[in-house]
Amino acid sequence: NLPDSVEDPEFENRIKVFNNYRQFGSMYAAKGNNKKAEWAYGNGIKQTEQTAGTSLQQILIIKQTGLEFRLNRARCLHSLGRRDECKEEISLILSLHPENTDALSLQNSLEL
């Protein structure tokens, strides 16, 4: 059983890393450079996968951030025409969060 929250300076640093990848991805996507945006979001996913939470709050942040990065990466893959990888990413998102309307919408756009 994990506590609801803990004071953890290491996790605060991890959040800064997540935010850096989020900002890089957003910046590159805004400039239309989906290849670099996809790279940033992919690295953000790796960071979330390598982070173990020590409280329920941390685990929730890690899961939400991972889903956000996966969805943004899927959008980049879609823009790059990498349909199979996009479908894989959407499948992962929906296995974790079956009701994710953004992922469902992206999935529907691939089927058109």
Side-chain angles (χ1 to χ4, degrees):
N1 287 340
L2 293 175
D4 288 340
S5 63
V6 294
E7 287 293 321
D8 186 353
E10 285 297 314
F11 190 72
E12 293 301 319
N13 289 334
R14 187 55 64 179
I15 287 178
K16 290 177 186 175
V17 171
F18 295 164
N19 285 333
N20 284 341
Y21 283 114
R22 181 180 289 116
Q23 290 171 345
F24 287 138
S26 295
M27 176 189 68
Y28 289 129
K31 292 181 177 183
N33 191 337
N34 286 305
K35 185 174 181 180
K36 284 189 177 181
E38 184 272 329
W39 168 87
Y41 293 129
N43 279 302
I45 292 166
K46 289 177 191 171
Q47 291 296 318
T48 62
E49 290 174 342
Q50 295 171 0
T51 302
T54 57
S55 72
L56 297 175
Q57 180 186 34
Q58 288 181 4
I59 290 172
L60 181 62
I61 290 169
I62 293 164
K63 285 183 178 182
Q64 288 174 333
T65 304
L67 282 171
E68 174 193 342
F69 286 152
R70 287 192 181 283
L71 183 59
N72 286 326
R73 180 171 184 259
R75 288 181 178 130
C76 292
L77 292 167
H78 183 266
S79 294
L80 292 167
R82 293 164 54 185
R83 294 175 59 86
D84 290 341
E85 290 171 272
C86 181
K87 287 179 182 179
E88 286 177 33
E89 205 64 75
I90 291 169
S91 179
L92 278 168
I93 294 165
L94 294 174
S95 72
L96 300 168
H97 191 258
E99 317 272 308
N100 189 302
T101 55
D102 291 326
L104 290 167
S105 175
L106 189 54
Q107 183 179 50
N108 289 338
S109 74
L110 287 171
E111 294 170 359
L112 296 177

